[in-house]
Amino acid sequence: MKYITSDNLYDYAFLNEDTLQKPVKGVCIYFHGFTDGTRYNESPFQAAELGAKGIAWVFPYHSVWAWMSQTSQQFCEQVIDAVYEKLGIDDSVPLVVTGGSMGGMTALNYLLHGKRKAIACAANCPVLSVIGYFKQAKEARAAILSAHIDKDGNLEEILTDLSPAYFVEKLPKIPYFFVFGKNDPSPAINELIGELKEKLDKNAVDYKIEIREEMAHCNMNDFPDTRDRFVKFILKAFERI
């Protein structure tokens, strides 16, 4: 079902038209985290910074329990299509995928399953093991199960297939920027950073991992220097085109 269009886009996503300078040089999508029901009326910092440089910033309002469900994938694809339509740009305009926590996991999965080929990926405290998070975080189990209960097969295998730590070798060779907090309490994130590095090195991928000593889970905006490097990475990706 095709439902999201350029006419009703703002019911289903935020687009930084309030700060977007023309011509549009690129599109950056930010996938939100678990339980994040934020809705924007004006551009937040990252959207404003990118908009000033001609980068459209998109924040889909897909389910706060999404966990890369098939319906959330379809929802986000329709949002992206509507953004390109609304801005009058064609598919040659490049896309960068970003997100935090569940959204960082979603951004990495989009690289394998998304309709468009992204030119770079930036992830803030991405959940590296969905199956690990399912086992460790009791508060997330119902959400993760409800997102994938419609699928046939073994749940553990399904969630392992969605876990970035276990599909690094399949990732495209594009630039990556990862931010992690040393005080992040989730083993499904921090205990797998070493394994992530090893696999990225083995795959000869261009990447940077920044680990903040004082940072907890996904609170990158409390550290302006890291936040600025996150935005600069996105801008540099578009400059390479």
Side-chain angles (χ1 to χ4, degrees):
M1 176 180 66
K2 173 69 172 176
Y3 190 81
I4 303 173
T5 68
S6 59
D7 293 330
N8 63 16
L9 174 64
Y10 281 101
D11 290 337
Y12 305 104
F14 176 80
L15 172 64
N16 63 338
E17 283 192 291
D18 59 326
T19 58
L20 182 59
Q21 298 297 307
K22 304 292 181 67
V24 178
K25 300 174 183 176
V27 175
C28 174
I29 187 166
Y30 188 94
F31 297 107
H32 65 68
F34 177 46
T35 72
D36 184 356
T38 302
R39 295 179 72 94
Y40 293 107
N41 295 315
E42 60 183 15
S43 289
F45 170 82
Q46 187 180 126
E49 287 286 298
L50 293 173
K53 301 293 185 180
I55 307 303
W57 187 85
V58 189
F59 187 92
Y61 300 143
H62 60 297
S63 171
V64 297
W65 280 25
W67 290 104
M68 200 61 185
S69 67
Q70 292 178 351
T71 53
S72 71
Q73 291 178 54
Q74 293 167 3
F75 182 100
C76 291
E77 291 288 12
Q78 288 198 21
V79 165
I80 297 171
D81 286 345
V83 166
Y84 275 70
E85 178 187 350
K86 189 171 188 66
L87 296 176
I89 54 179
D90 60 35
D91 289 344
S92 65
V93 176
L95 174 72
V96 168
V97 292
T98 69
S101 190
M102 178 186 77
M105 177 277 295
T106 303
L108 291 160
N109 269 277
Y110 185 90
L111 297 173
L112 300 186
H113 307 293
K115 185 171 76 172
R116 289 178 170 81
K117 291 184 178 180
I119 62 167
C121 176
N124 176 17
C125 296
V127 173
L128 296 176
S129 174
V130 181
I131 182 60
Y133 202 71
F134 179 80
K135 292 177 178 179
Q136 296 159 9
K138 187 175 181 180
E139 69 277 7
R141 285 180 197 157
I144 295 172
L145 178 61
S146 69
H148 301 287
I149 199 168
D150 60 328
K151 295 180 180 177
D152 294 327
N154 179 277
L155 181 64
E156 184 154 347
E157 291 177 359
I158 290 168
L159 300 185
T160 298
D161 287 344
L162 290 171
S163 301
Y166 308 127
F167 62 66
V168 175
E169 295 87 349
K170 299 178 182 178
L171 289 172
K173 293 185 178 181
I174 58 175
Y176 296 84
F177 186 74
F178 297 93
V179 176
F180 295 101
K182 196 158 188 182
N183 289 330
D184 194 322
S186 174
I189 298 174
N190 274 359
E191 288 186 2
L192 292 167
I193 296 174
E195 183 175 341
L196 175 68
K197 288 180 178 179
E198 290 178 11
K199 291 180 177 179
L200 289 169
D201 286 336
K202 185 176 180 179
N203 206 27
V205 169
D206 176 11
Y207 75 93
K208 177 177 176 55
I209 292 178
E210 182 169 328
I211 303 174
R212 290 296 306 237
E213 292 285 336
E214 315 90 339
M215 188 170 140
H217 181 63
C218 234
N219 59 325
M220 180 179 68
N221 287 338
D222 293 340
F223 303 90
D225 54 335
T226 297
R227 181 191 64 190
D228 289 347
R229 284 189 287 274
F230 194 90
V231 172
K232 286 177 181 177
F233 168 83
I234 297 168
L235 290 172
K236 187 176 180 180
F238 289 114
E239 290 170 358
R240 294 177 179 179
I241 301 301

